[in-house]
Each structure stands twice: as structure tokens, then as C-alpha cells.
């Protein structure tokens, strides 16, 4: 089990679940813009987590985390405009 997490494979499973969720949301009638803006921050955080678990250099951890924030703000604004 330690190897499963240390190798980043656990993050791969989460990314696969997020891909399945995106497909399911599209099937339910969501637009790719709303689906992407909702799920991309999670994907970016999972990439940062995978980088941290596998011992990559700090830019590979901090850059995806930094990019997740503006996408999250965009998602929040899109949801607010829709109401």
C-alpha cells in the first residue's frame, strides 16, 4: 500500500474518477466550460499532489497549485453570474 501512494498511483485513480465524472456531467447536459471550470482546479491540485508524493522539485508542486486558484475564481464567478 505504501508503494501505491509513494508512486503516485493513488492520484492516478483520483484523476480517472475525475475524468469519469466529467463524462457523466456532460452526459447529464453540462457544458464543457462549466465542467472544466469546476474540475480543472481539482485536476491541478492532484497533479501537485502527485508531484509531491513522487519527490519532484518544488516548481512542479507550486505551479499547478498556483494555477488552480484563478480557475477556481473563474468557476465561482461563472456560478454567480448564472444565478
Amino acid at each position: 500500500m505504501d508503494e501505491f501512494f509513494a508512486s503516485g498511483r493513488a492520484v492516478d485513480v483520483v484523476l480517472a474518477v475525475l475524468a469519469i465524472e466529467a463524462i457523466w456531467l456532460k452526459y447529464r447536459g453540462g457544458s464543457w466550460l462549466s465542467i472544466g471550470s469546476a474540475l480543472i482546479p481539482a485536476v491541478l491540485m492532484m497533479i501537485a499532489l502527485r508531484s509531491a508524493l513522487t519527490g519532484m522539485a518544488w516548481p512542479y508542486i507550486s505551479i499547478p497549485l498556483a494555477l488552480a486558484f484563478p480557475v477556481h475564481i473563474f468557476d465561482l464567478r461563472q456560478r454567480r453570474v448564472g444565478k
Side-chain angles (χ1 to χ4, degrees), residues 26-61:
K26 183 61 180 170
Y27 174 77
R28 300 267 307 180
S31 71
W32 283 119
L33 179 64
S34 65
I35 295 167
S37 64
L39 296 182
I40 287 175
V43 170
L44 289 168
M45 287 187 280
M46 289 298 102
I47 291 170
L49 175 61
R50 190 177 203 292
S51 299
L53 288 173
T54 58
M56 295 186 80
W58 69 267
Y60 294 100
I61 300 166

Side-chain angles (χ1 to χ4, degrees), residues 39-83:
L39 296 182
I40 287 175
V43 170
L44 289 168
M45 287 187 280
M46 289 298 102
I47 291 170
L49 175 61
R50 190 177 203 292
S51 299
L53 288 173
T54 58
M56 295 186 80
W58 69 267
Y60 294 100
I61 300 166
S62 62
I63 291 172
L65 283 177
L67 291 174
F69 182 69
V71 179
H72 177 62
I73 296 300
F74 175 78
D75 178 47
L76 291 176
R77 287 183 167 242
Q78 288 296 107
R79 291 173 190 260
R80 187 171 187 199
V81 169
K83 290 188 177 192

Side-chain angles (χ1 to χ4, degrees), residues 1-20 41-56 60-61 64:
M1 189 58 94
D2 291 339
E3 176 62 25
F4 180 66
F5 285 93
S7 68
R9 300 264 190 263
V11 174
D12 295 341
V13 171
V14 174
L15 289 171
V17 170
L18 287 170
I20 292 167
V43 170
L44 289 168
M45 287 187 280
M46 289 298 102
I47 291 170
L49 175 61
R50 190 177 203 292
S51 299
L53 288 173
T54 58
M56 295 186 80
Y60 294 100
I61 300 166

